[in-house]
Structures are given as structure tokens and as C-alpha cells.
Amino acid sequence: MKPSKMIRALALTALLHCTLPIWAVQEPAWTAPFPPYRIAGNLYYVGSADLASYLIATPKGLILIDSNLASSPPLIRKSVETLGFRFSDIKILLISHAHVDHCAGSAEIIRETGAKYEVMKGDVSVVESGGKSDFAYGAEKDMQFVPAHVDRVLHDGDTVQLGGTVLTAHLTAGHTRGTTTWTMDETEGGRLLHVVIVGSPNVNPGYKLVSNTVYPKIAADYEHQFEVLRALPCDIFLGAHGSYFDMTEKYARWKAGDKNAFIDPAGYKAYVADREQAFETELQRQRTARH
Ligand SMILES: [Zn+2]
């Protein structure tokens, strides 16, 4: 395999697993601009081709989920403005999890908007230390970012409310200690739709699931995460990366006129089952390797 092809293959693997962000920086497919669009109700996509970012527009201001890489805020801003909203109206900033490809832009967005940063307890020290307290990547410079102060510490089941919209934070830890899956209800065409934005169920290469002295209950946290994800009612399936829910393919259908393109309860179930199987396989592999 030619070196360039090799990098591409590695990057593709990385893309599927949300792994080392150095590849994210090198992989244009992650950061290429993508047209912003309305998913349902007051929920919009304002991310790049793979790094998802979600905007929720309420009469009392905007909520943004995921600030992505340090280089992402100008792109997110452009998407928000293209949709006709004011970037400065972002009142609350949330994240899927405290990895550099989802939260490195936070300090910049907070500086520009004055948004309140609300983060799940397990990820608070990571975002406030700029990644240095991450259980897996703390010592890796490429995984670090500008620290940002957290205004509100979230706990499992907490809600974030603004202008009549209610988002619920589900602790789905493992990938990070505070990985958060966000849910909300939208009404579209008179129909109530349950929205699930998956934080990340992926086991990154190098993650120690067995005898992890830094994060002893990592495997139990993943198991709990899959219990939670299996139980969530889901009509609209979304996630921290577009690749989780085949965004490019669904967007093409949406653009061609299929306004139900993002309604995919079966796809959600299949994705969760697939990721749970991948976790179990890796857990067994590591358990066997110990003997
Ligand atoms: Zn991640």
C-alpha cells in the first residue's frame, strides 16, 4: 500500500471509531464544509461533513451542541448565519464528550457569544484542563485544547431548558467519563418525534477495558451505556459524527425531497447493537489476552 493510501485507510478507520484527532485534522472528510439544514422542528445541523454540531433555536435564544476542533468555530458560525440566526444569540453550549474533535472550539465560542457552558460531571475536569486530565490521552499534546470554564455541572438525567425547549442529558460514559447522549422531542407535521444524539459508544484503539488502573470501571460504564442506549425511544437518530447515522446518504435523500430521511428507528437499533457487539468482542479479546 502506498504511504498516501495507507494514511487514507488509517484515517477511514479512525473516522469509524472517533479516534486520534491528529487524523481528524489530516482528514478533509471530517472538516469539509457541509450545508446547514433543518432536521426537524427547531433542530438544525450546523457541523462539517463529519464533525456534527447541532443548533436548537428557541424564542429565548440558541443552544449549540458540540464546538468541534479549534478550527471549527468560523465554519459553525457561517452555518448558523446562513440559516438566518445570530451567532451571538447562542446562550448555552453543550458537548457530546470531552475529546478534542468535539470540544476544542468551546473557548472561542464562549468568548464570542458569552454562552453558558454546561458539561456532564465526568467531563468537567477534562474540558477545564484542556484535555490534560483525560484518562487515555492526557499526556498527548495533539489531544489538548484551550481550556474552558464550566458554568453548570450536569448529572445523569438533568435537563437543559431554554425558551420552551427541553433537552435531557443521559450519562453514557466509557468513551470518556462524561460522554453524554442528548435527547429531546420535536414535533414535525403534527407528529411527535423522539430525537437521540448519541455521544459515542466507541472503544478507541488502545483503550484498556481490563485492569484499567486510571479508569477502573470503564467496562461497567460501557455496559451501562448500552443499557441506556437500548432503552431510549428513538425516531430521529443523530450522533457526534455524521458517520454514526449515515448522514451524507440521509442528507442526499432529504435534499431530494424526503423530509423523513432522518427518521430511522431501525437504523438506531442496528447501530447500538453493532457497537455493543464491537465492545463485547474487544472486551473478550482483552480478557483472553490476559491469560
Ligand atoms: Zn471521541
Side-chain angles (χ1 to χ4, degrees):
M1 205 182 280
K2 279 192 342 204
S4 60
K5 257 192 146 177
M6 174 78 88
I7 288 168
R8 184 129 194 109
L10 284 170
L12 207 64
T13 313
L15 191 147
L16 292 170
H17 295 278
C18 171
T19 177
L20 296 177
I22 181 119
W23 291 335
V25 180
Q26 291 172 351
E27 177 50 64
W30 278 33
T31 53
F34 200 82
Y37 58 93
R38 192 172 71 85
I39 299 164
N42 65 346
L43 173 64
Y44 300 81
Y45 186 85
V46 292
S48 53
D50 186 62
L51 294 179
S53 189
Y54 300 96
L55 186 77
I56 297 113
T58 88
K60 292 276 163 65
L62 307 170
I63 301 171
L64 185 74
I65 304 178
D66 276 3
S67 57
N68 301 341
L69 295 163
S71 59
S72 301
L75 215 61
I76 295 172
R77 180 182 195 124
K78 190 158 181 267
S79 292
V80 170
E81 289 170 351
T82 300
L83 290 168
F85 300 109
R86 282 199 318 219
F87 199 62
S88 58
D89 282 344
I90 296 174
K91 304 282 187 231
I92 299 173
L93 176 62
L94 308 172
I95 55 169
S96 60
H97 63 278
H99 274 163
V100 72
D101 48 339
H102 303 286
C103 74
S106 291
E108 173 68 17
I109 290 175
I110 291 163
R111 193 181 62 75
E112 287 183 31
T113 64
K116 295 273 170 279
Y117 201 17
E118 306 194 6
V119 175
M120 189 65 84
K121 184 166 180 266
D123 275 354
V124 168
S125 80
V126 180
V127 303
E128 291 195 331
S129 68
K132 290 194 178 110
S133 71
D134 183 88
F135 76 89
Y137 302 126
E140 293 185 28
K141 282 268 181 287
D142 289 330
M143 302 298 272
Q144 292 173 9
F145 45 87
V146 178
H149 169 73
V150 172
D151 299 290
R152 180 187 170 203
V153 178
L154 299 171
H155 301 87
D156 188 24
D158 277 353
T159 60
V160 171
Q161 305 195 28
L162 188 70
T165 290
V166 181
L167 283 148
T168 303
H170 303 267
L171 175 63
T172 48
H175 186 78
T176 66
R177 290 176 196 266
T179 297
T180 308
T181 292
W182 290 99
T183 61
M184 66 188 296
D185 286 343
E186 287 289 1
T187 306
E188 187 67 39
R191 184 178 165 194
L192 178 72
L193 297 166
H194 301 295
V195 178
V196 179
I197 305 173
V198 177
S200 177
N202 296 309
V203 178
N204 279 5
Y207 270 25
K208 253 177 92 121
L209 300 175
V210 174
S211 307
N212 187 329
T213 50
V214 188
Y215 186 178
K217 64 186 196 68
I218 183 168
D221 277 0
Y222 270 109
E223 273 158 9
H224 177 72
Q225 156 159 205
F226 289 112
E227 264 174 50
V228 171
L229 293 181
R230 270 190 267 116
L232 288 176
C234 176
D235 299 302
I236 294 182
F237 166 33
L238 305 168
H241 287 263
S243 58
Y244 291 5
F245 58 98
D246 299 324
M247 181 180 78
T248 313
E249 183 267 326
K250 284 174 180 166
Y251 176 75
R253 282 199 278 130
W254 178 89
K255 209 159 176 248
D258 178 6
K259 295 305 169 199
N260 294 328
F262 293 95
I263 300 177
D264 186 15
Y268 172 75
K269 276 202 174 68
Y271 176 76
V272 172
D274 177 71
R275 294 296 82 205
E276 182 165 16
Q277 188 56 57
F279 160 75
E280 291 295 347
T281 302
E282 179 58 16
L283 183 62
Q284 282 314 317
R285 192 191 68 74
Q286 292 191 20
R287 279 182 178 151
T288 310
R290 279 176 72 217
H291 299 296

